[in-house]
Amino acid sequence: MTALIDAARKTGLHKLTSRIFPENQASRALMKALGFAEIGIHRRHGMLDGQWRDCVVVELLMGEAAA
């Protein structure tokens, strides 16, 4: 993840976003430690194994957008 963040900064991106299943506490903790903020929930974002799944939306603002 740190290599991805570094590459995104070097290319001038202003934001990275991702989605995580709510129960995936390890990934949520990792993203928080890397500076990502949880900004919302996509309700019933997609189906997995025949069940609708929610996703926590995270974002990392970079550069001027982070100021």
Side-chain angles (χ1 to χ4, degrees):
M1 281 302 302
T2 56
L4 174 66
I5 294 168
D6 290 342
R9 284 190 171 117
K10 287 177 185 172
T11 59
L13 294 179
H14 75 280
K15 180 190 292 193
L16 290 175
T17 64
S18 189
R19 288 155 192 83
I20 306 167
F21 291 132
E23 68 276 4
N24 190 340
Q25 295 299 320
S27 288
R28 291 173 72 178
L30 172 63
M31 294 305 226
K32 184 176 182 178
L34 292 169
F36 283 75
E38 293 187 358
I39 60 166
I41 296 177
H42 282 294
R43 302 280 310 191
R44 295 179 178 87
H45 187 64
M47 289 194 97
L48 179 65
D49 298 328
Q51 293 187 352
W52 286 106
R53 298 298 310 268
D54 296 344
C55 290
V56 175
V57 182
V58 296
E59 73 177 7
L60 175 67
L61 297 176
M62 301 178 291
E64 290 182 18

